[in-house]
Amino acid sequence: MAGPLCGALVTTWARPRVLVITPDFPPVKGGIQILSHRIASSFRMLEPTVVTVDHPAAEAFDRMQTFEIVRVRRQPGRRAFTTLALNAGATRVALRDRPDVVLSTHIVVSPTAALLRRQLGIPFVQYVYAKEIGAKPQLARFALTRADRVVSISRYTTELAIAAGAPADRIALISPGVDAPAVTRTDRPLDGPPTVLTISRLEDRYKGHDVMLRALPLVRAEVPDVRWHVIGDGPLRQTLEDRAQALGLGDSVQFLGRVSDEARDEELARANAFCMVSRLPAGRFAGEGFGIVYLEANAHGVPVVAGAVGGATDAVVHGETGLLVDPQDHVAVADALVALLRDRDLAERLARAGRARVEGFTWEAAGGLVEAELLRVLT
Amino acid sequence: MNAAQEHRGPDDEGTYEDPQRRISLGVRRLSIIDVAGGHQPLSNEDGTVWAILNGEIYNSPALQERLRARGHRFRSRADTETLVHLYEEYQEDLVHALKGMFAFAIWDERRGRLLLARDRFGEKPMFVQRSDRGLSFASELSALVGASGRTPDLDLDAMDMYMVLGYVPGPRTIVQGIEQLLPGRLLTWDAREDVIDVRPYWSARRSPPANHEAEEELTAETLRLLEQSVAGTLVSDVPVGIFLSGGVDSTLVAALVAAASARAPETFTVGYDVGQVSELAEARKAADQLGTVHHELVIDQASVARRVSVVLSALDQPLADPAVIPVHAVSELARRHVKVVVGGEGADELFGGYPRYRWLIRSTQVKRVLPERCAALGARALAFPPFGAQSARLADVIAPQTTRERHLDWVTARRRYARPQMYGPALRSRAGSEAALDSLAPHLDGFSGELGGDAFMQLDQRHWLPDDVLYKVDRAGMMNSLEIRTPYLAREVAEFANSVQATTHLSGYGKKLLRKALETYFPKERSRRRKTAFRVPGGHWLRGPLLPLLEHQLDGGTLVQEGFIDREFLRASMDRHAGGEDRTSILWPILAAGLWLDRYAGHS
C-alpha cells in the first residue's frame, strides 16, 4: 500500500512548476482571457500557479479550477497601478514558490519575468498577440529580446515580433484553440430574417464596424430583410448607433451590448453569417492578431467574412471556411455578405468545411505545444 | 436649358427624350474621365435606363471592374455608364456605393421613375422645380429660370435670409418655386402617379465617443484616411493641380498629392497688391519644400472691379462671401495649366479650424457660473469702445443669449440688427424675421439643451459648408470650366473626423490632428501657423476700386430702385466706411446682391 502512495508523491514532487503571470483571465471576457485559462488548464507535465487580477466574480470561478490562482487587487480606473501591483504580486509568489519556469502571457508583465530570469535564473516564455506590440513598442522590444522563447499566435504576429526585435529562431507559432459548443446546430432556421452577426468589444476602430455600416445599405438592397446583430459594448457604441440612424438603417441593425455566454451561443446558433472585417490600423499600430472569434463562429457552423489582412488570414481560409475581403472596401464586404446570404449552397459548404477545420484547433493541442516550449527552456 | 449651362461643360452636349415623351434629359459636359467615350446621356444595353451626371465618381473604375465580373457590358469607361449599371444592381441604393462629388439623374424607363441624387456634402448643385408641366431639374438655377419662359418672382424670405447670413440656405433658393435638393438626399419621381418622394441617405452627424485613444493613434488614422482620399481623387485621365494657400489644410493636401504623384504637381496661389501679401510668400515656401511647379497670380487694384462685377453678377444666387473673388482668380490661373485641381475645403468644418468653436465653448462655461444679471452688466461694460476689440469679443462671450443666436451673430457680424434701417419698403416686412435663425434648427438634430462645439461643427457642415463654401468653389471653378476636388470631404474622412472629440480637434490652435499629420512632412513651426486661407482685402477694395460699383448701386442699382435696400442707409454706410470705420460686413453683401439682381432683372 505504501508503494503507490510513494509513487504518487514522487511524481507530484517531480512535476516542474510553471508560474503563469497574466493580466487577462476569466471571469473577465475576451480572447486573451480565454487563451490564458485554457492553456494553463491543459498542462499535463507542468504544475501551474496563476497570478492575475481580482474580479468580483473571481471566487466562484477560482473554486472550480484545478490549480492555484493568486489574485492581486484591481486598482479601479488606474490600469497602470493594477499592472504594477500585478508585477509586484507575481514577484512575491515567485519568491515564495521558486517556480522552474515562467509563462508571461502579456508583455506588461514581462518586467517581472525578466527580473526573475536575471536574479533567480528562472527562464521565461513570452506570449505575443499583435495590438500590444504596436501600442507599446519599447516594452515589446524589451520582452521579446529577453524571453527564452516567444509564442506567437499567427504568421502576422510572428512578423510583428521579428520587426520588434525577437530573434526568428526563438519564435514558436502556436495557433490558439477554440471551445467546441455543446451542440452544433447544422440546420439554420429557414424562417426569420437572414442575420449577420459581429462579436467584439466596441473599442478599436480597426474592427471595422464602420465599414460594415457602409456595406449594410447595399446588402439590404439585395437582401431586403437582412438583420445585423452587434454583440459587444464599449466607447464606440453610441457613435455607431448614431451613424446607423443617420444612414436610415433603423430596424436592420441591433446593438445587443454585452450578453451572457448563453445568449451569445444562441446568436451564433441562429446567425447566417459572421462578419468582422478587421483592417490593419494606421501607423505603427497593429490589428487582429488571430481572431479566435472566427473559429468560434465556424465551430457553431457559421460561415465567416473577414478582412484579408493580419492574423485573420490564419484563422480563415478564403473560399473554404469563409470569405476574405479587402476590409476597407465596403462594396466588397457587401458582395461577400450577399453571396453568403443568397447562395445557400455556398454558405453550407463553407460552414461544413469551417466546422471540420475547427476540429484541428483544440486547446489541448495548443496547450501541449506551449507546454513543450516551457519544458524546452527548462533543460 | 442646355445652352444656358455651356460654361459648365464646354466639351460636349447631348440630349435624350423617352418614347412616350414623358421626360427629356440634356447635358453639357466637361470631359475628365474617358474624354472620348463619355458622351451623355448614357444608357444600358437595351436603352431602358438612362443617366446623366454632373461631377465625378472617384471609385468608378473599381465599380466597373466589379460590375463586369457580374456580367455587365460596358461601352466606355465613363462614370455615367457606371451609374447606369450600378442602378440595375441596387436601384436607389446605388448612392451607398459611390465615392465622389455628384449630382445625377437616372431615368428608369420600365418603372417610369426618375431618380435625382446629390452628393453627401453638396459639392455639386441640383435645382428642382415642380410645375403643372411636371418636374424640371438642372445643375444651375439660371437654366430653370431661363426655361420657365418668364422671370420668376424673388422669394422675399430667401432675400432676407441672404441679407442676414450672406448666402441662401437650402432647400430654398432666391426665387419662388425652385428648390435645391439638399446634400445627401434622394428624390424619386414616379411619372405614372406623379408622386415625388425626397429622403436622406446620409447626413453629417457629430457623435464622438469618450476620449479613449492616444493622439498619435488618431493622427495616424487621419493620415491614412487622407492618403486614401487623395489617391481616390487623383483617379483621372488628366493632370491634377493643387490650390495652395500655405495654410495647414492646403499644404497637407499638397504634401499628400506630391507624395502620391510620379511627377511634380502644379500648385496655384493668389495674392493681392494691397494689405498683407505674406500669403504668397507662405505658399511659395511650401511649394519650394514640396518641389511643386508653382504658379502665382496677383489680383491688382486695377483689375479687381471688373472681376468683381463679372463674378458676382454671374452667380446663380447672390453670395456675400468675398472669397469667391480669389477662388475665381486662382481657378482662372489653374485652368491655363490643368482641368482638375484639389483644394482644402471642408477641413475647417470637419477638423475644428474656426476659433469661434472655442469661444462658443467658453461662453457656455461662463453661462454656467455667472448669474445672468452680472453677465449682462459685464457685457455692457466690456463693449464700451475704449476697451478695444478683444474685450468686445469677451463681451460677446458673456452676454446672456442663446448659443444658437450667439453663433449666428458671430458668423454674420450681427447684420440682422441693422435690418430695420437697412431694408427698403420691399423688404421692410421681413426686418424682424427669424427665418435665418430658424433655418439653423433642422441641422441641430441629436443635440438638446445648451449647445456646444459639437453642435456648431455639425451645423457648419450642413448649413454654411454646402451653401456658402462649396457653392462658391463650384461656381468659381465652373465659370472657368475647372473641376475642384476636395479630399477632406470623402465620407470616410468626414465620418472619422466627426467621431473625434471637439476638445481634441480644438486643442492648441485648432485642427490639432491636421497639424500633427503635417508634422510628418514639415518641421513643427510650420504646422503651428494660424489659419490664412485666401483672405480678401474687401474693405480696402470697397474704399478704392469698387467704389464706382457701389456708387452705381446707390444711383442706378435695382436693389435700391426696387426698394429692397434703403438708399440713405447705403449712403451713410458708404460714408462711414470712407471715413475709416469698417463697414465691409454691410457693404459687401449689398454690393453682391446688387450686382446679382441687376443681371437677374436684366438691368445690367
Side-chain angles (χ1 to χ4, degrees), chain A residues 54-74:
Chain A
D54 203 5
H55 184 273
E59 212 183 310
F61 176 85
D62 291 356
R63 264 203 306 274
M64 312 280 292
Q65 310 309 315
T66 55
F67 45 83
E68 186 193 6
I69 299 170
V70 179
R71 295 206 181 243
V72 301
R73 191 170 320 146
R74 183 180 297 277

mmCIF file with all atom_site columns, all heavy atoms in Angstrom, chain A residues 54-74:
data_model
loop_
_atom_site.group_PDB
_atom_site.id
_atom_site.type_symbol
_atom_site.label_atom_id
_atom_site.label_alt_id
_atom_site.label_comp_id
_atom_site.label_asym_id
_atom_site.label_entity_id
_atom_site.label_seq_id
_atom_site.pdbx_PDB_ins_code
_atom_site.Cartn_x
_atom_site.Cartn_y
_atom_site.Cartn_z
_atom_site.occupancy
_atom_site.B_iso_or_equiv
_atom_site.pdbx_formal_charge
_atom_site.auth_seq_id
_atom_site.auth_comp_id
_atom_site.auth_asym_id
_atom_site.auth_atom_id
_atom_site.pdbx_PDB_model_num
ATOM 1   N N   . ASP A 1 54 ? -7.780  40.642 -9.559  1.00 0.00 ? 54 ASP A N   1
ATOM 2   C CA  . ASP A 1 54 ? -9.031  40.330 -8.882  1.00 0.00 ? 54 ASP A CA  1
ATOM 3   C C   . ASP A 1 54 ? -10.249 40.705 -9.733  1.00 0.00 ? 54 ASP A C   1
ATOM 4   O O   . ASP A 1 54 ? -10.155 41.533 -10.646 1.00 0.00 ? 54 ASP A O   1
ATOM 5   C CB  . ASP A 1 54 ? -9.086  41.099 -7.558  1.00 0.00 ? 54 ASP A CB  1
ATOM 6   C CG  . ASP A 1 54 ? -10.020 40.415 -6.580  1.00 0.00 ? 54 ASP A CG  1
ATOM 7   O OD1 . ASP A 1 54 ? -10.528 39.323 -6.916  1.00 0.00 ? 54 ASP A OD1 1
ATOM 8   O OD2 . ASP A 1 54 ? -10.234 40.978 -5.501  1.00 0.00 ? 54 ASP A OD2 1
ATOM 9   N N   . HIS A 1 55 ? -11.368 40.093 -9.377  1.00 0.00 ? 55 HIS A N   1
ATOM 10  C CA  . HIS A 1 55 ? -12.630 40.379 -10.057 1.00 0.00 ? 55 HIS A CA  1
ATOM 11  C C   . HIS A 1 55 ? -13.746 39.993 -9.099  1.00 0.00 ? 55 HIS A C   1
ATOM 12  O O   . HIS A 1 55 ? -13.602 39.020 -8.353  1.00 0.00 ? 55 HIS A O   1
ATOM 13  C CB  . HIS A 1 55 ? -12.719 39.548 -11.351 1.00 0.00 ? 55 HIS A CB  1
ATOM 14  C CG  . HIS A 1 55 ? -13.940 39.861 -12.166 1.00 0.00 ? 55 HIS A CG  1
ATOM 15  N ND1 . HIS A 1 55 ? -15.145 39.237 -11.955 1.00 0.00 ? 55 HIS A ND1 1
ATOM 16  C CD2 . HIS A 1 55 ? -14.131 40.728 -13.182 1.00 0.00 ? 55 HIS A CD2 1
ATOM 17  C CE1 . HIS A 1 55 ? -16.036 39.719 -12.813 1.00 0.00 ? 55 HIS A CE1 1
ATOM 18  N NE2 . HIS A 1 55 ? -15.441 40.624 -13.575 1.00 0.00 ? 55 HIS A NE2 1
ATOM 19  N N   . PRO A 1 56 ? -14.856 40.729 -9.089  1.00 0.00 ? 56 PRO A N   1
ATOM 20  C CA  . PRO A 1 56 ? -15.936 40.435 -8.141  1.00 0.00 ? 56 PRO A CA  1
ATOM 21  C C   . PRO A 1 56 ? -16.418 38.976 -8.195  1.00 0.00 ? 56 PRO A C   1
ATOM 22  O O   . PRO A 1 56 ? -16.771 38.393 -7.172  1.00 0.00 ? 56 PRO A O   1
ATOM 23  C CB  . PRO A 1 56 ? -17.055 41.390 -8.580  1.00 0.00 ? 56 PRO A CB  1
ATOM 24  C CG  . PRO A 1 56 ? -16.361 42.502 -9.273  1.00 0.00 ? 56 PRO A CG  1
ATOM 25  C CD  . PRO A 1 56 ? -15.114 41.942 -9.872  1.00 0.00 ? 56 PRO A CD  1
ATOM 26  N N   . ALA A 1 57 ? -16.421 38.404 -9.411  1.00 0.00 ? 57 ALA A N   1
ATOM 27  C CA  . ALA A 1 57 ? -16.928 37.035 -9.538  1.00 0.00 ? 57 ALA A CA  1
ATOM 28  C C   . ALA A 1 57 ? -15.808 36.001 -9.505  1.00 0.00 ? 57 ALA A C   1
ATOM 29  O O   . ALA A 1 57 ? -16.011 34.835 -9.855  1.00 0.00 ? 57 ALA A O   1
ATOM 30  C CB  . ALA A 1 57 ? -17.725 36.913 -10.830 1.00 0.00 ? 57 ALA A CB  1
ATOM 31  N N   . ALA A 1 58 ? -14.612 36.435 -9.076  1.00 0.00 ? 58 ALA A N   1
ATOM 32  C CA  . ALA A 1 58 ? -13.448 35.558 -9.195  1.00 0.00 ? 58 ALA A CA  1
ATOM 33  C C   . ALA A 1 58 ? -13.530 34.354 -8.263  1.00 0.00 ? 58 ALA A C   1
ATOM 34  O O   . ALA A 1 58 ? -13.144 33.244 -8.636  1.00 0.00 ? 58 ALA A O   1
ATOM 35  C CB  . ALA A 1 58 ? -12.172 36.347 -8.923  1.00 0.00 ? 58 ALA A CB  1
ATOM 36  N N   . GLU A 1 59 ? -14.050 34.566 -7.057  1.00 0.00 ? 59 GLU A N   1
ATOM 37  C CA  . GLU A 1 59 ? -14.002 33.499 -6.065  1.00 0.00 ? 59 GLU A CA  1
ATOM 38  C C   . GLU A 1 59 ? -14.713 32.242 -6.553  1.00 0.00 ? 59 GLU A C   1
ATOM 39  O O   . GLU A 1 59 ? -14.166 31.140 -6.507  1.00 0.00 ? 59 GLU A O   1
ATOM 40  C CB  . GLU A 1 59 ? -14.618 34.001 -4.762  1.00 0.00 ? 59 GLU A CB  1
ATOM 41  C CG  . GLU A 1 59 ? -13.982 33.363 -3.552  1.00 0.00 ? 59 GLU A CG  1
ATOM 42  C CD  . GLU A 1 59 ? -14.660 33.824 -2.271  1.00 0.00 ? 59 GLU A CD  1
ATOM 43  O OE1 . GLU A 1 59 ? -14.831 35.059 -2.102  1.00 0.00 ? 59 GLU A OE1 1
ATOM 44  O OE2 . GLU A 1 59 ? -15.026 32.956 -1.471  1.00 0.00 ? 59 GLU A OE2 1
ATOM 45  N N   . ALA A 1 60 ? -15.930 32.453 -7.041  1.00 0.00 ? 60 ALA A N   1
ATOM 46  C CA  . ALA A 1 60 ? -16.714 31.327 -7.542  1.00 0.00 ? 60 ALA A CA  1
ATOM 47  C C   . ALA A 1 60 ? -15.986 30.633 -8.681  1.00 0.00 ? 60 ALA A C   1
ATOM 48  O O   . ALA A 1 60 ? -15.933 29.402 -8.763  1.00 0.00 ? 60 ALA A O   1
ATOM 49  C CB  . ALA A 1 60 ? -18.088 31.811 -7.995  1.00 0.00 ? 60 ALA A CB  1
ATOM 50  N N   . PHE A 1 61 ? -15.405 31.458 -9.549  1.00 0.00 ? 61 PHE A N   1
ATOM 51  C CA  . PHE A 1 61 ? -14.704 30.888 -10.698 1.00 0.00 ? 61 PHE A CA  1
ATOM 52  C C   . PHE A 1 61 ? -13.480 30.099 -10.246 1.00 0.00 ? 61 PHE A C   1
ATOM 53  O O   . PHE A 1 61 ? -13.237 28.969 -10.693 1.00 0.00 ? 61 PHE A O   1
ATOM 54  C CB  . PHE A 1 61 ? -14.292 32.013 -11.659 1.00 0.00 ? 61 PHE A CB  1
ATOM 55  C CG  . PHE A 1 61 ? -13.477 31.532 -12.828 1.00 0.00 ? 61 PHE A CG  1
ATOM 56  C CD1 . PHE A 1 61 ? -14.109 31.038 -13.966 1.00 0.00 ? 61 PHE A CD1 1
ATOM 57  C CD2 . PHE A 1 61 ? -12.081 31.542 -12.779 1.00 0.00 ? 61 PHE A CD2 1
ATOM 58  C CE1 . PHE A 1 61 ? -13.364 30.577 -15.035 1.00 0.00 ? 61 PHE A CE1 1
ATOM 59  C CE2 . PHE A 1 61 ? -11.337 31.075 -13.848 1.00 0.00 ? 61 PHE A CE2 1
ATOM 60  C CZ  . PHE A 1 61 ? -11.987 30.594 -14.979 1.00 0.00 ? 61 PHE A CZ  1
ATOM 61  N N   . ASP A 1 62 ? -12.696 30.675 -9.344  1.00 0.00 ? 62 ASP A N   1
ATOM 62  C CA  . ASP A 1 62 ? -11.436 30.069 -8.954  1.00 0.00 ? 62 ASP A CA  1
ATOM 63  C C   . ASP A 1 62 ? -11.642 28.725 -8.258  1.00 0.00 ? 62 ASP A C   1
ATOM 64  O O   . ASP A 1 62 ? -10.805 27.827 -8.377  1.00 0.00 ? 62 ASP A O   1
ATOM 65  C CB  . ASP A 1 62 ? -10.645 31.026 -8.039  1.00 0.00 ? 62 ASP A CB  1
ATOM 66  C CG  . ASP A 1 62 ? -10.142 32.251 -8.806  1.00 0.00 ? 62 ASP A CG  1
ATOM 67  O OD1 . ASP A 1 62 ? -10.348 32.284 -10.038 1.00 0.00 ? 62 ASP A OD1 1
ATOM 68  O OD2 . ASP A 1 62 ? -9.568  33.164 -8.179  1.00 0.00 ? 62 ASP A OD2 1
ATOM 69  N N   . ARG A 1 63 ? -12.763 28.622 -7.517  1.00 0.00 ? 63 ARG A N   1
ATOM 70  C CA  . ARG A 1 63 ? -13.044 27.366 -6.814  1.00 0.00 ? 63 ARG A CA  1
ATOM 71  C C   . ARG A 1 63 ? -13.168 26.189 -7.782  1.00 0.00 ? 63 ARG A C   1
ATOM 72  O O   . ARG A 1 63 ? -12.878 25.053 -7.431  1.00 0.00 ? 63 ARG A O   1
ATOM 73  C CB  . ARG A 1 63 ? -14.352 27.498 -6.018  1.00 0.00 ? 63 ARG A CB  1
ATOM 74  C CG  . ARG A 1 63 ? -14.133 27.866 -4.548  1.00 0.00 ? 63 ARG A CG  1
ATOM 75  C CD  . ARG A 1 63 ? -15.323 27.446 -3.708  1.00 0.00 ? 63 ARG A CD  1
ATOM 76  N NE  . ARG A 1 63 ? -16.585 27.975 -4.198  1.00 0.00 ? 63 ARG A NE  1
ATOM 77  C CZ  . ARG A 1 63 ? -17.067 29.189 -3.861  1.00 0.00 ? 63 ARG A CZ  1
ATOM 78  N NH1 . ARG A 1 63 ? -16.407 29.950 -3.016  1.00 0.00 ? 63 ARG A NH1 1
ATOM 79  N NH2 . ARG A 1 63 ? -18.199 29.629 -4.350  1.00 0.00 ? 63 ARG A NH2 1
ATOM 80  N N   . MET A 1 64 ? -13.592 26.477 -9.001  1.00 0.00 ? 64 MET A N   1
ATOM 81  C CA  . MET A 1 64 ? -13.805 25.416 -9.984  1.00 0.00 ? 64 MET A CA  1
ATOM 82  C C   . MET A 1 64 ? -12.496 24.936 -10.628 1.00 0.00 ? 64 MET A C   1
ATOM 83  O O   . MET A 1 64 ? -12.510 23.982 -11.387 1.00 0.00 ? 64 MET A O   1
ATOM 84  C CB  . MET A 1 64 ? -14.725 25.910 -11.100 1.00 0.00 ? 64 MET A CB  1
ATOM 85  C CG  . MET A 1 64 ? -15.986 26.617 -10.648 1.00 0.00 ? 64 MET A CG  1
ATOM 86  S SD  . MET A 1 64 ? -17.236 25.444 -10.166 1.00 0.00 ? 64 MET A SD  1
ATOM 87  C CE  . MET A 1 64 ? -17.634 24.709 -11.758 1.00 0.00 ? 64 MET A CE  1
ATOM 88  N N   . GLN A 1 65 ? -11.395 25.648 -10.401 1.00 0.00 ? 65 GLN A N   1
ATOM 89  C CA  . GLN A 1 65 ? -10.169 25.341 -11.127 1.00 0.00 ? 65 GLN A CA  1
ATOM 90  C C   . GLN A 1 65 ? -9.331  24.290 -10.393 1.00 0.00 ? 65 GLN A C   1
ATOM 91  O O   . GLN A 1 65 ? -9.452  24.119 -9.179  1.00 0.00 ? 65 GLN A O   1
ATOM 92  C CB  . GLN A 1 65 ? -9.344  26.615 -11.347 1.00 0.00 ? 65 GLN A CB  1
ATOM 93  C CG  . GLN A 1 65 ? -10.142 27.763 -11.943 1.00 0.00 ? 65 GLN A CG  1
ATOM 94  C CD  . GLN A 1 65 ? -10.924 27.363 -13.183 1.00 0.00 ? 65 GLN A CD  1
ATOM 95  O OE1 . GLN A 1 65 ? -10.390 26.687 -14.073 1.00 0.00 ? 65 GLN A OE1 1
ATOM 96  N NE2 . GLN A 1 65 ? -12.200 27.738 -13.235 1.00 0.00 ? 65 GLN A NE2 1
ATOM 97  N N   . THR A 1 66 ? -8.467  23.618 -11.149 1.00 0.00 ? 66 THR A N   1
ATOM 98  C CA  . THR A 1 66 ? -7.667  22.520 -10.582 1.00 0.00 ? 66 THR A CA  1
ATOM 99  C C   . THR A 1 66 ? -6.281  22.987 -10.167 1.00 0.00 ? 66 THR A C   1
ATOM 100 O O   . THR A 1 66 ? -5.442  22.193 -9.777  1.00 0.00 ? 66 THR A O   1
ATOM 101 C CB  . THR A 1 66 ? -7.508  21.398 -11.623 1.00 0.00 ? 66 THR A CB  1
ATOM 102 O OG1 . THR A 1 66 ? -6.945  21.973 -12.800 1.00 0.00 ? 66 THR A OG1 1
ATOM 103 C CG2 . THR A 1 66 ? -8.848  20.766 -11.949 1.00 0.00 ? 66 THR A CG2 1
ATOM 104 N N   . PHE A 1 67 ? -6.011  24.287 -10.339 1.00 0.00 ? 67 PHE A N   1
ATOM 105 C CA  . PHE A 1 67 ? -4.678  24.795 -9.981  1.00 0.00 ? 67 PHE A CA  1
ATOM 106 C C   . PHE A 1 67 ? -4.847  26.041 -9.121  1.00 0.00 ? 67 PHE A C   1
ATOM 107 O O   . PHE A 1 67 ? -5.950  26.598 -9.018  1.00 0.00 ? 67 PHE A O   1
ATOM 108 C CB  . PHE A 1 67 ? -3.848  25.114 -11.226 1.00 0.00 ? 67 PHE A CB  1
ATOM 109 C CG  . PHE A 1 67 ? -4.623  25.865 -12.270 1.00 0.00 ? 67 PHE A CG  1
ATOM 110 C CD1 . PHE A 1 67 ? -4.759  27.249 -12.190 1.00 0.00 ? 67 PHE A CD1 1
ATOM 111 C CD2 . PHE A 1 67 ? -5.228  25.191 -13.328 1.00 0.00 ? 67 PHE A CD2 1
ATOM 112 C CE1 . PHE A 1 67 ? -5.476  27.939 -13.144 1.00 0.00 ? 67 PHE A CE1 1
ATOM 113 C CE2 . PHE A 1 67 ? -5.950  25.886 -14.285 1.00 0.00 ? 67 PHE A CE2 1
ATOM 114 C CZ  . PHE A 1 67 ? -6.077  27.257 -14.194 1.00 0.00 ? 67 PHE A CZ  1
ATOM 115 N N   . GLU A 1 68 ? -3.737  26.457 -8.497  1.00 0.00 ? 68 GLU A N   1
ATOM 116 C CA  . GLU A 1 68 ? -3.809  27.607 -7.598  1.00 0.00 ? 68 GLU A CA  1
ATOM 117 C C   . GLU A 1 68 ? -3.880  28.913 -8.391  1.00 0.00 ? 68 GLU A C   1
ATOM 118 O O   . GLU A 1 68 ? -3.171  29.080 -9.394  1.00 0.00 ? 68 GLU A O   1
ATOM 119 C CB  . GLU A 1 68 ? -2.583  27.636 -6.678  1.00 0.00 ? 68 GLU A CB  1
ATOM 120 C CG  . GLU A 1 68 ? -2.694  28.732 -5.621  1.00 0.00 ? 68 GLU A CG  1
ATOM 121 C CD  . GLU A 1 68 ? -1.365  28.988 -4.894  1.00 0.00 ? 68 GLU A CD  1
ATOM 122 O OE1 . GLU A 1 68 ? -0.329  28.394 -5.276  1.00 0.00 ? 68 GLU A OE1 1
ATOM 123 O OE2 . GLU A 1 68 ? -1.394  29.794 -3.957  1.00 0.00 ? 68 GLU A OE2 1
ATOM 124 N N   . ILE A 1 69 ? -4.737  29.813 -7.936  1.00 0.00 ? 69 ILE A N   1
ATOM 125 C CA  . ILE A 1 69 ? -4.822  31.128 -8.562  1.00 0.00 ? 69 ILE A CA  1
ATOM 126 C C   . ILE A 1 69 ? -4.616  32.181 -7.485  1.00 0.00 ? 69 ILE A C   1
ATOM 127 O O   . ILE A 1 69 ? -5.318  32.189 -6.475  1.00 0.00 ? 69 ILE A O   1
ATOM 128 C CB  . ILE A 1 69 ? -6.192  31.348 -9.240  1.00 0.00 ? 69 ILE A CB  1
ATOM 129 C CG1 . ILE A 1 69 ? -6.406  30.300 -10.338 1.00 0.00 ? 69 ILE A CG1 1
ATOM 130 C CG2 . ILE A 1 69 ? -6.289  32.757 -9.826  1.00 0.00 ? 69 ILE A CG2 1
ATOM 131 C CD1 . ILE A 1 69 ? -7.801  30.279 -10.906 1.00 0.00 ? 69 ILE A CD1 1
ATOM 132 N N   . VAL A 1 70 ? -3.637  33.046 -7.681  1.00 0.00 ? 70 VAL A N   1
ATOM 133 C CA  . VAL A 1 70 ? -3.374  34.132 -6.740  1.00 0.00 ? 70 VAL A CA  1
ATOM 134 C C   . VAL A 1 70 ? -3.844  35.421 -7.395  1.00 0.00 ? 70 VAL A C   1
ATOM 135 O O   . VAL A 1 70 ? -3.482  35.689 -8.546  1.00 0.00 ? 70 VAL A O   1
ATOM 136 C CB  . VAL A 1 70 ? -1.869  34.242 -6.407  1.00 0.00 ? 70 VAL A CB  1
ATOM 137 C CG1 . VAL A 1 70 ? -1.618  35.395 -5.434  1.00 0.00 ? 70 VAL A CG1 1
ATOM 138 C CG2 . VAL A 1 70 ? -1.350  32.933 -5.859  1.00 0.00 ? 70 VAL A CG2 1
ATOM 139 N N   . ARG A 1 71 ? -4.677  36.183 -6.699  1.00 0.00 ? 71 ARG A N   1
ATOM 140 C CA  . ARG A 1 71 ? -5.204  37.402 -7.328  1.00 0.00 ? 71 ARG A CA  1
ATOM 141 C C   . ARG A 1 71 ? -4.728  38.643 -6.583  1.00 0.00 ? 71 ARG A C   1
ATOM 142 O O   . ARG A 1 71 ? -4.802  38.704 -5.359  1.00 0.00 ? 71 ARG A O   1
ATOM 143 C CB  . ARG A 1 71 ? -6.727  37.364 -7.350  1.00 0.00 ? 71 ARG A CB  1
ATOM 144 C CG  . ARG A 1 71 ? -7.262  36.231 -8.251  1.00 0.00 ? 71 ARG A CG  1
ATOM 145 C CD  . ARG A 1 71 ? -8.627  36.538 -8.778  1.00 0.00 ? 71 ARG A CD  1
ATOM 146 N NE  . ARG A 1 71 ? -9.135  35.449 -9.600  1.00 0.00 ? 71 ARG A NE  1
ATOM 147 C CZ  . ARG A 1 71 ? -9.411  35.592 -10.902 1.00 0.00 ? 71 ARG A CZ  1
ATOM 148 N NH1 . ARG A 1 71 ? -9.219  36.747 -11.504 1.00 0.00 ? 71 ARG A NH1 1
ATOM 149 N NH2 . ARG A 1 71 ? -9.883  34.568 -11.585 1.00 0.00 ? 71 ARG A NH2 1
ATOM 150 N N   . VAL A 1 72 ? -4.260  39.627 -7.304  1.00 0.00 ? 72 VAL A N   1
ATOM 151 C CA  . VAL A 1 72 ? -3.885  40.906 -6.686  1.00 0.00 ? 72 VAL A CA  1
ATOM 152 C C   . VAL A 1 72 ? -5.053  41.866 -6.863  1.00 0.00 ? 72 VAL A C   1
ATOM 153 O O   . VAL A 1 72 ? -5.874  41.719 -7.767  1.00 0.00 ? 72 VAL A O   1
ATOM 154 C CB  . VAL A 1 72 ? -2.612  41.522 -7.322  1.00 0.00 ? 72 VAL A CB  1
ATOM 155 C CG1 . VAL A 1 72 ? -1.446  40.570 -7.194  1.00 0.00 ? 72 VAL A CG1 1
ATOM 156 C CG2 . VAL A 1 72 ? -2.855  41.893 -8.771  1.00 0.00 ? 72 VAL A CG2 1
ATOM 157 N N   . ARG A 1 73 ? -5.124  42.848 -5.987  1.00 0.00 ? 73 ARG A N   1
ATOM 158 C CA  . ARG A 1 73 ? -6.271  43.730 -6.020  1.00 0.00 ? 73 ARG A CA  1
ATOM 159 C C   . ARG A 1 73 ? -6.225  44.660 -7.234  1.00 0.00 ? 73 ARG A C   1
ATOM 160 O O   . ARG A 1 73 ? -5.191  45.221 -7.573  1.00 0.00 ? 73 ARG A O   1
ATOM 161 C CB  . ARG A 1 73 ? -6.354  44.559 -4.741  1.00 0.00 ? 73 ARG A CB  1
ATOM 162 C CG  . ARG A 1 73 ? -7.695  45.257 -4.698  1.00 0.00 ? 73 ARG A CG  1
ATOM 163 C CD  . ARG A 1 73 ? -8.062  45.943 -3.412  1.00 0.00 ? 73 ARG A CD  1
ATOM 164 N NE  . ARG A 1 73 ? -7.719  45.266 -2.193  1.00 0.00 ? 73 ARG A NE  1
ATOM 165 C CZ  . ARG A 1 73 ? -7.371  45.953 -1.101  1.00 0.00 ? 73 ARG A CZ  1
ATOM 166 N NH1 . ARG A 1 73 ? -7.280  47.253 -1.140  1.00 0.00 ? 73 ARG A NH1 1
ATOM 167 N NH2 . ARG A 1 73 ? -7.103  45.316 0.012   1.00 0.00 ? 73 ARG A NH2 1
ATOM 168 N N   . ARG A 1 74 ? -7.405  44.795 -7.879  1.00 0.00 ? 74 ARG A N   1
ATOM 169 C CA  . ARG A 1 74 ? -7.520  45.715 -9.016  1.00 0.00 ? 74 ARG A CA  1
ATOM 170 C C   . ARG A 1 74 ? -7.591  47.146 -8.491  1.00 0.00 ? 74 ARG A C   1
ATOM 171 O O   . ARG A 1 74 ? -8.260  47.408 -7.483  1.00 0.00 ? 74 ARG A O   1
ATOM 172 C CB  . ARG A 1 74 ? -8.799  45.387 -9.780  1.00 0.00 ? 74 ARG A CB  1
ATOM 173 C CG  . ARG A 1 74 ? -9.026  46.211 -11.032 1.00 0.00 ? 74 ARG A CG  1
ATOM 174 C CD  . ARG A 1 74 ? -10.339 45.786 -11.693 1.00 0.00 ? 74 ARG A CD  1
ATOM 175 N NE  . ARG A 1 74 ? -10.278 44.389 -12.140 1.00 0.00 ? 74 ARG A NE  1
ATOM 176 C CZ  . ARG A 1 74 ? -9.739  44.014 -13.300 1.00 0.00 ? 74 ARG A CZ  1
ATOM 177 N NH1 . ARG A 1 74 ? -9.240  44.916 -14.112 1.00 0.00 ? 74 ARG A NH1 1
ATOM 178 N NH2 . ARG A 1 74 ? -9.716  42.744 -13.643 1.00 0.00 ? 74 ARG A NH2 1
#
